[in-house]
Amino acid sequence: MTGPWLLEFFIAPVIVGIVLLALSALFRVVREKVWRPVGRGLRWLTTLRITTSTRRNALKHELAEALDAARVGESQVARLKRKSLDLKTEVKGLKAAREYLAAEQKTAVWDSGHAHGLADGRAEGRAEALAEVAAERAVLRPRPAWRVDVLREGEAYVLRNSQPDAVVADVELDAHHQEFAFTGPRQWYGVFPGEVEFKGGWLEMGRRFGVTFRIQYRDELGDVQEGRARVDKEPRRAIIL
């Protein structure tokens, strides 16, 4: 057996085996000392990232819920504030309405009392005026004495008040439509002067039976009164009624 053969078939495998054992040992050392710590670190980093992301998402969700709750709380607070303002406004309105009603009631009471006072005053004044009128009417006053004289037969006549102490006004003269026909004015407004002239003519019944003139006038108190004056069919003077 020569040296090269021994190196090829005996020594070389031993050396290869030793190298493989050394490499295996070195691999185990590298795996235990380097790879496993590095793997653990990588796994920890991965887990930490996942955990951090999960916690970040959870924190975001919690923050969103908190913000929503805060918004809801703010909206509720704002709603409560608006309700409070509405209640305050309503209370002020009710207070103002109550004060207005109280003032209206006072005004109504005053107006009612004032109206009653005016009504009582007017009633008293009316009663006093009526009493004065009644007292004046109770006094005997001279009444007019009416007569009609003929100036020209069938043409001109005179209406006279033969009682000068009797003051009359707004005199209106009339007669039956079958007895006498007026051809001129027969109304005299204002204070009667004592006598006035009027025109007209006899009709059939007047020529046969005479004419009865009706005189309407106002006395000193302004009351409407009525008098009469009759003229016979052969008039020479009037007959006072």
Side-chain angles (χ1 to χ4, degrees):
M1 297 175 60
T2 61
W5 185 87
L6 289 174
L7 179 62
E8 181 178 355
F9 291 99
F10 182 77
I11 298 173
V14 172
I15 294 173
V16 171
I18 293 171
V19 171
L20 291 175
L21 290 174
L23 291 175
S24 177
L26 179 62
F27 177 76
R28 285 196 299 271
V29 171
V30 170
R31 186 181 60 183
E32 293 293 335
K33 298 298 183 179
V34 177
W35 180 250
R36 284 186 179 178
V38 171
R40 291 193 190 96
L42 292 175
R43 286 195 301 272
W44 181 78
L45 289 175
T46 304
T47 304
L48 179 63
R49 181 177 181 182
I50 295 173
T51 304
T52 303
S53 177
T54 303
R55 291 189 64 185
R56 185 184 299 112
N57 293 332
L59 288 174
K60 287 181 179 180
H61 183 68
E62 292 177 358
L63 180 60
E65 290 182 350
L67 290 175
D68 293 337
R71 293 191 187 98
V72 172
E74 289 177 357
S75 63
Q76 291 179 353
V77 170
R79 191 180 302 110
L80 291 175
K81 287 182 177 180
R82 287 196 298 271
K83 287 185 178 180
S84 177
L85 291 175
D86 293 339
L87 289 175
K88 289 181 180 179
T89 304
E90 186 175 357
V91 168
K92 289 181 179 179
L94 291 175
K95 185 177 179 181
R98 185 175 60 187
E99 293 176 354
Y100 176 77
L101 289 176
E104 286 292 323
Q105 290 178 355
K106 290 181 180 179
T107 303
V109 170
W110 186 87
D111 290 340
S112 177
H114 184 64
H116 284 302
L118 288 177
D120 294 340
R122 290 172 181 171
E124 292 178 359
R126 190 180 300 110
E128 292 177 359
L130 291 175
E132 292 178 0
V133 171
E136 290 181 357
R137 290 178 177 174
V139 177
L140 295 177
R141 299 180 182 278
R143 296 175 60 86
W146 300 104
R147 59 180 293 170
V148 174
D149 294 331
V150 179
L151 294 180
R152 294 179 296 277
E153 179 67 30
E155 182 179 354
Y157 304 86
V158 176
L159 174 66
R160 289 190 174 93
N161 174 20
S162 58
Q163 178 57 267
D165 294 334
V167 179
V168 296
D170 300 338
V171 175
E172 180 178 351
L173 186 62
D174 195 10
H176 194 276
H177 66 281
Q178 293 180 345
E179 295 180 354
F180 192 86
F182 293 92
T183 59
R186 56 188 183 91
Q187 295 176 340
W188 301 273
Y189 295 104
V191 178
F192 190 70
E195 61 178 42
V196 291
E197 181 180 340
F198 64 94
K199 294 182 179 181
W202 299 82
L203 298 179
E204 181 63 25
M205 289 184 64
R207 285 192 294 269
R208 294 178 59 184
F209 303 105
V211 180
T212 300
F213 291 97
R214 296 186 299 274
I215 304 98
Q216 183 174 289
Y217 63 94
R218 292 185 181 275
D219 59 14
E220 295 182 25
L221 299 177
D223 296 331
V224 177
Q225 305 291 346
E226 186 174 302
R228 293 174 183 268
R230 179 170 177 76
V231 180
D232 292 333
K233 60 180 179 178
E234 297 262 339
R236 290 294 178 269
R237 67 176 183 177
I239 301 174
I240 302 172
L241 300 180

